[in-house]
Amino acid sequence: QQPVQSPQAVILREGEDAVINCSSSKALYSVHWYRQKHGEAPVFLMILLKGGEQKGHEKISASFNEKKQQSSLYLTASQLSYSGTYFCGTEQKMAGNNRKLIWGLGTSLAVNP
Amino acid sequence: NAGVMQNPRHLVRRRGQEARLRCSPMKGHSHVYWYRQLPEEGLKFMVYLQKENIIDESGMPKERFSAEFPKEGPSILRIQQVVRGDSAAYFCASSRAGGDGYTFGSGTRLTVV
Protein backbone atom coordinates (compact mmCIF):
# COMPACT_ATOMS: atom_id res chain seq x y z
CA GLN A 1 0.00 0.00 0.00
CA GLN A 2 2.93 2.33 0.58
CA PRO A 3 3.55 4.50 -2.49
CA VAL A 4 6.88 4.11 -4.21
CA GLN A 5 8.97 7.19 -4.81
CA SER A 6 11.73 7.51 -7.35
CA PRO A 7 14.49 8.40 -7.49
CA GLN A 8 15.68 7.91 -3.92
CA ALA A 9 18.09 10.80 -4.19
CA VAL A 10 18.89 13.61 -6.60
CA ILE A 11 21.82 16.00 -6.72
CA LEU A 12 21.39 19.14 -8.80
CA ARG A 13 23.28 22.28 -9.60
CA GLU A 14 21.38 25.48 -9.03
CA GLY A 15 19.15 26.19 -12.02
CA GLU A 16 18.73 22.58 -13.11
CA ASP A 17 15.41 20.75 -13.28
CA ALA A 18 14.26 17.58 -11.55
CA VAL A 19 11.29 15.24 -11.57
CA ILE A 20 10.21 13.13 -8.63
CA ASN A 21 7.75 10.32 -9.16
CA CYS A 22 5.24 8.71 -6.84
CA SER A 23 3.34 5.58 -7.82
CA SER A 24 0.95 3.24 -6.11
CA SER A 25 -0.44 -0.21 -6.73
CA LYS A 26 -3.74 0.96 -5.23
CA ALA A 27 -6.28 3.31 -6.78
CA LEU A 28 -5.42 6.87 -5.87
CA TYR A 29 -7.99 9.40 -4.72
CA SER A 30 -5.54 12.18 -4.13
CA VAL A 31 -1.83 12.78 -3.79
CA HIS A 32 -0.19 15.14 -1.33
CA TRP A 33 3.33 16.51 -1.65
CA TYR A 34 5.46 17.77 1.24
CA ARG A 35 9.02 18.94 1.67
CA GLN A 36 11.05 18.40 4.83
CA LYS A 37 14.32 20.14 5.57
CA HIS A 38 16.82 18.53 7.89
CA GLY A 39 15.73 18.79 11.50
CA GLU A 40 12.46 20.50 10.64
CA ALA A 41 8.83 19.52 10.21
CA PRO A 42 7.41 18.56 6.81
CA VAL A 43 5.81 21.47 5.00
CA PHE A 44 2.76 21.13 2.79
CA LEU A 45 3.33 21.88 -0.91
CA MET A 46 0.15 20.86 -2.70
CA ILE A 47 -2.69 18.38 -3.07
CA LEU A 48 -3.79 16.93 -6.39
CA LEU A 49 -7.33 15.65 -6.50
CA LYS A 50 -8.31 14.74 -10.03
CA GLY A 51 -6.92 12.65 -12.84
CA GLY A 52 -4.64 14.69 -15.04
CA GLU A 53 -4.77 17.64 -12.71
CA GLN A 54 -1.75 19.87 -12.54
CA LYS A 55 -0.94 22.44 -9.93
CA GLY A 56 1.84 24.88 -9.42
CA HIS A 57 3.58 26.43 -6.46
CA GLU A 58 6.23 28.98 -7.44
CA LYS A 59 8.51 26.98 -9.76
CA ILE A 60 7.30 23.67 -8.40
CA SER A 61 4.41 21.95 -10.14
CA ALA A 62 2.88 18.51 -10.11
CA SER A 63 0.67 16.27 -12.15
CA PHE A 64 -1.61 13.45 -11.14
CA ASN A 65 -2.53 10.67 -13.52
CA GLU A 66 -5.35 8.79 -11.88
CA LYS A 67 -5.41 6.04 -14.51
CA LYS A 68 -1.70 5.32 -14.15
CA GLN A 69 -1.94 5.70 -10.38
CA GLN A 70 1.01 8.01 -10.29
CA SER A 71 1.99 11.57 -9.62
CA SER A 72 5.06 13.53 -10.61
CA LEU A 73 6.56 16.58 -8.95
CA TYR A 74 8.44 18.95 -11.25
CA LEU A 75 11.08 21.33 -9.93
CA THR A 76 12.26 23.80 -12.54
CA ALA A 77 15.22 26.16 -12.35
CA SER A 78 16.02 24.77 -8.92
CA GLN A 79 17.12 27.07 -6.12
CA LEU A 80 19.30 26.30 -3.13
CA SER A 81 16.20 26.55 -0.95
CA TYR A 82 14.67 23.55 -2.71
CA SER A 83 17.06 21.19 -0.94
CA GLY A 84 15.34 18.75 1.38
CA THR A 85 13.45 15.49 1.37
CA TYR A 86 10.26 15.34 -0.66
CA PHE A 87 7.49 13.02 0.46
CA CYS A 88 4.36 12.02 -1.37
CA GLY A 89 1.32 10.89 0.56
CA THR A 90 -1.52 8.92 -0.97
CA GLU A 91 -4.96 9.01 0.54
CA GLN A 92 -6.54 5.93 2.03
CA LYS A 93 -10.28 6.08 2.59
CA MET A 94 -11.65 4.76 5.84
CA ALA A 95 -15.10 4.39 7.37
CA GLY A 96 -17.22 7.52 7.42
CA ASN A 97 -15.50 10.66 6.22
CA ASN A 98 -12.18 9.61 7.67
CA ARG A 99 -9.06 9.39 5.58
CA LYS A 100 -5.40 9.07 6.30
CA LEU A 101 -2.27 9.45 4.25
CA ILE A 102 0.14 6.66 3.49
CA TRP A 103 3.61 8.11 2.99
CA GLY A 104 6.35 7.20 0.58
CA LEU A 105 9.90 6.84 1.89
CA GLY A 106 10.96 10.18 0.46
CA THR A 107 13.31 11.53 -2.20
CA SER A 108 16.35 13.40 -0.98
CA LEU A 109 17.12 16.45 -3.12
CA ALA A 110 20.36 18.41 -2.81
CA VAL A 111 20.84 21.61 -4.80
CA ASN A 112 24.43 22.80 -4.96
CA PRO A 113 25.70 26.21 -6.08
CA ASN B 1 -2.77 31.61 13.76
CA ALA B 2 -0.26 29.73 15.85
CA GLY B 3 -0.17 26.58 13.76
CA VAL B 4 0.29 23.15 15.30
CA MET B 5 2.01 23.42 18.66
CA GLN B 6 4.03 20.53 20.02
CA ASN B 7 5.82 20.45 23.32
CA PRO B 8 8.32 19.85 24.54
CA ARG B 9 10.70 20.30 21.59
CA HIS B 10 13.27 18.06 23.24
CA LEU B 11 12.66 15.45 25.89
CA VAL B 12 15.24 13.31 27.63
CA ARG B 13 14.10 10.33 29.66
CA ARG B 14 15.90 7.53 31.45
CA ARG B 15 14.98 3.97 30.58
CA GLY B 16 11.83 2.94 32.41
CA GLN B 17 10.41 6.46 32.78
CA GLU B 18 7.30 7.79 31.12
CA ALA B 19 7.25 10.26 28.23
CA ARG B 20 4.31 12.54 27.54
CA LEU B 21 4.20 14.39 24.25
CA ARG B 22 1.62 17.10 23.67
CA CYS B 23 0.07 18.42 20.49
CA SER B 24 -2.36 21.29 20.09
CA PRO B 25 -3.85 21.28 16.58
CA MET B 26 -4.43 24.36 14.49
CA LYS B 27 -7.57 26.31 15.28
CA GLY B 28 -10.47 24.76 13.40
CA HIS B 29 -8.72 21.42 12.88
CA SER B 30 -10.37 18.40 14.42
CA HIS B 31 -8.22 15.61 12.97
CA VAL B 32 -4.89 14.78 14.60
CA TYR B 33 -2.23 12.36 13.41
CA TRP B 34 0.92 11.19 15.16
CA TYR B 35 4.03 10.05 13.32
CA ARG B 36 7.40 8.73 14.35
CA GLN B 37 10.54 9.44 12.37
CA LEU B 38 14.00 8.00 12.76
CA PRO B 39 17.01 9.91 11.33
CA GLU B 40 17.21 9.74 7.53
CA GLU B 41 13.95 7.78 7.39
CA GLY B 42 10.36 8.50 6.41
CA LEU B 43 7.30 9.20 8.51
CA LYS B 44 5.81 6.14 10.17
CA PHE B 45 2.12 6.45 10.95
CA MET B 46 1.16 5.77 14.54
CA VAL B 47 -2.36 6.93 15.30
CA TYR B 48 -5.21 9.04 13.92
CA LEU B 49 -7.60 10.74 16.33
CA GLN B 50 -10.56 13.04 16.41
CA LYS B 51 -11.95 14.62 19.53
CA GLU B 52 -12.54 11.86 22.09
CA ASN B 53 -12.18 9.18 19.41
CA ILE B 54 -9.37 7.00 18.14
CA ILE B 55 -10.03 6.50 14.44
CA ASP B 56 -7.03 4.34 13.57
CA GLU B 57 -4.29 3.11 15.87
CA SER B 58 -2.89 0.46 13.56
CA GLY B 59 0.58 1.97 13.73
CA MET B 60 0.81 2.05 17.50
CA PRO B 61 2.76 -0.64 19.34
CA LYS B 62 0.34 -2.72 21.41
CA GLU B 63 2.21 -2.19 24.62
CA ARG B 64 3.47 0.90 26.40
CA PHE B 65 2.06 3.38 23.85
CA SER B 66 -1.26 5.19 24.12
CA ALA B 67 -2.82 8.32 22.67
CA GLU B 68 -5.78 10.48 23.45
CA PHE B 69 -7.43 13.62 22.18
CA PRO B 70 -9.81 14.82 24.88
CA LYS B 71 -12.73 17.15 24.40
CA GLU B 72 -10.72 19.92 26.02
CA GLY B 73 -6.96 20.30 25.78
CA PRO B 74 -4.22 18.95 23.57
CA SER B 75 -3.71 15.51 22.15
CA ILE B 76 -1.31 13.43 24.24
CA LEU B 77 0.99 10.65 23.09
CA ARG B 78 2.11 8.68 26.10
CA ILE B 79 4.97 6.22 26.18
CA GLN B 80 5.36 4.21 29.35
CA GLN B 81 8.56 2.52 30.51
CA VAL B 82 10.60 3.98 27.68
CA VAL B 83 13.43 2.01 26.10
CA ARG B 84 16.36 3.21 24.01
CA GLY B 85 14.57 2.12 20.83
CA ASP B 86 11.87 4.73 21.50
CA SER B 87 14.36 7.50 20.76
CA ALA B 88 13.08 9.30 17.67
CA ALA B 89 11.38 12.46 16.47
CA TYR B 90 7.62 12.38 17.02
CA PHE B 91 5.58 14.63 14.77
CA CYS B 92 1.99 15.60 15.17
CA ALA B 93 -0.11 16.87 12.25
CA SER B 94 -3.62 18.21 12.07
CA SER B 95 -6.16 18.77 9.34
CA ARG B 96 -9.56 20.35 9.07
CA ALA B 97 -11.04 17.29 7.44
CA GLY B 98 -9.80 13.86 6.53
CA GLY B 99 -8.74 14.69 2.99
CA ASP B 100 -7.27 18.13 3.55
CA GLY B 101 -3.63 19.03 3.63
CA TYR B 102 -1.86 18.38 6.90
CA THR B 103 -0.10 20.99 8.97
CA PHE B 104 2.76 19.58 10.98
CA GLY B 105 4.09 20.66 14.32
CA SER B 106 7.81 21.15 14.88
CA GLY B 107 8.10 17.74 16.50
CA THR B 108 9.34 16.41 19.81
CA ARG B 109 12.77 14.83 19.81
CA LEU B 110 12.76 12.09 22.42
CA THR B 111 16.08 10.77 23.66
CA VAL B 112 16.13 7.80 26.01
CA VAL B 113 19.35 7.44 27.98
Side-chain angles (χ1 to χ4, degrees), chain B residues 46-59:
Chain B
M46 297 184 74
V47 63
Y48 169 15
L49 309 110
Q50 291 185 42
K51 285 284 187 182
E52 300 184 280
N53 282 314
I54 296 176
I55 305 301
D56 181 354
E57 56 181 347
S58 59

Side-chain angles (χ1 to χ4, degrees), chain A residues 2 30 32 34 36 38-44 47 49 87 91-92 94-95 97-101 103-106, chain B residues 9 31 33 35 37 40-43 45 48 50 55-56 58 91 97-107 109:
Chain A
Q2 183 177 47
S30 68
H32 300 221
Y34 291 73
Q36 184 180 28
H38 185 70
E40 299 181 8
V43 173
F44 171 74
I47 297 176
L49 299 174
F87 292 99
E91 188 180 318
Q92 180 181 42
M94 304 169 66
N97 192 33
N98 299 313
R99 307 173 192 181
K100 72 177 185 185
L101 291 182
W103 297 93
L105 293 178
Chain B
R9 286 294 301 273
H31 298 243
Y33 314 83
Y35 294 89
Q37 187 176 41
E40 310 306 322
E41 293 190 7
L43 296 156
F45 170 78
Y48 169 15
Q50 291 185 42
I55 305 301
D56 181 354
S58 59
F91 286 99
D100 281 3
Y102 292 8
T103 301
F104 281 83
S106 299
R109 275 106 185 131

